[in-house]
Amino acid sequence: MSDLFYRNACSSTNDEITEVLLYPRSNFVGLYTFNQIKGRGQYGNSWASVAEQNLAYTVAVKTSCILHSDFLFNYYTAIAVQNYLANLTEKIVKIKWPNDIIVKNKKVVGILIEKKKINQENYFIIGIGINILQEEFDEISNAGSLLTQTGERFNLKQFTENLHSFLIEKLTHIPGDDEILAQFNSNLFKKDEISVFELDKTRQNGIIRNADENGEIWIELEKSGLKSFYHKEIKLLY
Ligand SMILES: Nc1ncnc2c1ncn2[C@@H]1O[C@H](COP(=O)(O)OP(=O)(O)OP(=O)(O)O)[C@@H](O)[C@H]1O
Ligand SMILES: O=C(O)CCCC[C@@H]1SC[C@@H]2NC(=O)N[C@@H]21
């Protein structure tokens, strides 16, 4: 059983879902809008949305339903969204570590997972922003939408309802840690390709090898060999 709520406008769906969860609900509660006004990204960044073009969606899941470590749960959410998009398009859909979704080299999806206690219950609050119909990304150079990257115009409401059902199915059947890691690594953006990174304010070439069970990424760097990094210790430039 699930509930999916719609609002004409929201500040942030990750914040407003708290109000929805004050009342007894099913195990998976979704809230979405096509007009998010104060979207939040990772590390306190803001998440930009153009009204009636992009989706802001949050699904809340009781943490008691989830046995995995936080970052494996993060990885699994990214896999689920990647799978959903890959089923909709022939274009290449990848996961940029740790959890951005890239379609044909542009960031189309951002995911922000937070933990909150509401009414004595602990939740994973999974916020997913998807650029769907937006055509111009003047200030965000690496961003794109499903329209710019696939040429397809998806119906916003249908897209959201199908996404919600798909995610619930995925979150109801979470595989083991090894399987999550294997699926994550097989969809990793730039895996085994020469890339340019920024590390300690300098640039160097390297090759992404794999994400591991500790939440680190292993990169073979031209100058210092194979090393592992946590998020924000190294930046993939291109
Ligand atoms: N609608 C949007 N689509 C794509 N990116 C957006 C959007 N709105 C805001 N952004 C922000 O643009 C920035 C660029 O994304 P990018 O993936 O380069 O940053 P990042 O996630 O901080 O990078 P990294 O994980 O490599 O350190 C991010 O801060 C992202 O949150
Ligand atoms: O890449 C990122 O920085 C994460 C962006 C997450 C954006 C989504 S949109 C729905 C939910 N509500 C928010 O305020 N943020 C998330």
Side-chain angles (χ1 to χ4, degrees):
M1 253 278 285
S2 79
D3 293 304
L4 180 60
F5 295 86
Y6 165 78
R7 287 192 176 171
N8 277 325
C10 264
S11 55
S12 156
T13 52
N14 266 31
D15 295 334
E16 291 198 20
I17 197 145
T18 309
E19 298 161 18
V20 178
L21 292 171
L22 288 176
Y23 304 95
R25 300 284 182 211
S26 60
N27 282 339
F28 300 94
V29 180
L31 173 67
Y32 71 101
T33 184
F34 305 125
N35 186 10
Q36 180 170 255
I37 292 146
K38 279 179 85 176
R40 295 189 288 106
Q42 299 206 42
Y43 296 91
N45 290 332
S46 59
W47 180 258
S49 272
V50 175
E52 306 309 320
Q53 295 187 4
N54 298 335
L55 168 66
Y57 161 81
T58 295
V59 57
V61 187
K62 289 180 184 156
T63 53
S64 54
C65 302
I66 310 290
L67 299 172
H68 297 269
S69 68
D70 289 2
F71 67 84
L72 275 176
F73 181 65
N74 234 285
Y75 286 179
Y76 185 67
T77 307
I79 294 166
V81 178
Q82 186 276 342
N83 285 185
Y84 179 70
L85 295 185
N87 287 342
L88 290 180
T89 170
E90 307 274 281
K91 301 289 184 281
I92 296 173
V93 185
K94 293 280 180 187
I95 305 166
K96 182 180 157 211
W97 181 81
N99 66 0
D100 292 343
I101 309 293
I102 307 289
V103 182
K104 247 181 65 188
N105 279 314
K106 296 270 185 191
K107 176 167 171 176
V108 167
V109 181
I111 302 174
L112 174 67
I113 302 185
E114 300 173 295
K115 275 177 156 175
K116 280 185 193 166
K117 190 169 193 170
I118 302 151
N119 254 355
Q120 312 301 320
E121 193 74 61
N122 289 304
Y123 290 92
F124 280 117
I125 306 292
I126 307 167
I128 303 173
I130 308 188
N131 304 325
I132 299 183
L133 297 172
Q134 189 172 343
E135 290 185 87
E136 306 285 337
F137 290 89
D138 300 337
E139 280 149 40
I140 315 170
S141 60
N142 68 342
S145 67
L146 289 173
L147 178 57
T148 62
Q149 301 312 96
T150 72
E152 281 197 71
R153 283 181 184 275
F154 292 96
N155 175 285
L156 293 173
K157 187 164 182 283
Q158 199 64 60
F159 180 96
T160 311
E161 286 172 1
N162 292 345
L163 172 69
H164 185 64
S165 309
F166 187 87
L167 288 183
I168 288 167
E169 174 62 25
K170 286 279 181 187
L171 292 167
T172 313
H173 301 103
I174 303 184
D177 295 3
D178 291 351
E179 180 59 27
I180 293 178
L181 265 184
Q183 287 184 20
F184 189 83
N185 280 315
S186 69
N187 288 301
L188 198 51
F189 181 59
K190 299 267 188 194
K191 180 174 159 55
D192 299 327
E193 286 175 33
I194 296 176
S195 305
V196 178
F197 297 88
E198 188 181 292
L199 177 63
D200 299 332
K201 298 203 169 107
T202 59
R203 290 184 172 207
Q204 67 168 297
N205 291 344
I207 302 174
I208 292 177
R209 290 306 186 192
N210 66 287
D212 73 10
E213 67 281 6
N214 302 316
E216 291 178 86
I217 187 132
W218 288 84
I219 303 173
E220 209 166 307
L221 290 164
E222 196 172 62
K223 293 181 192 148
S224 36
L226 188 63
K227 283 192 169 241
S228 65
F229 299 91
Y230 285 109
H231 194 208
K232 296 293 169 197
E233 285 181 343
I234 191 163
K235 186 169 175 63
L236 171 63
L237 295 177
Y238 52 87

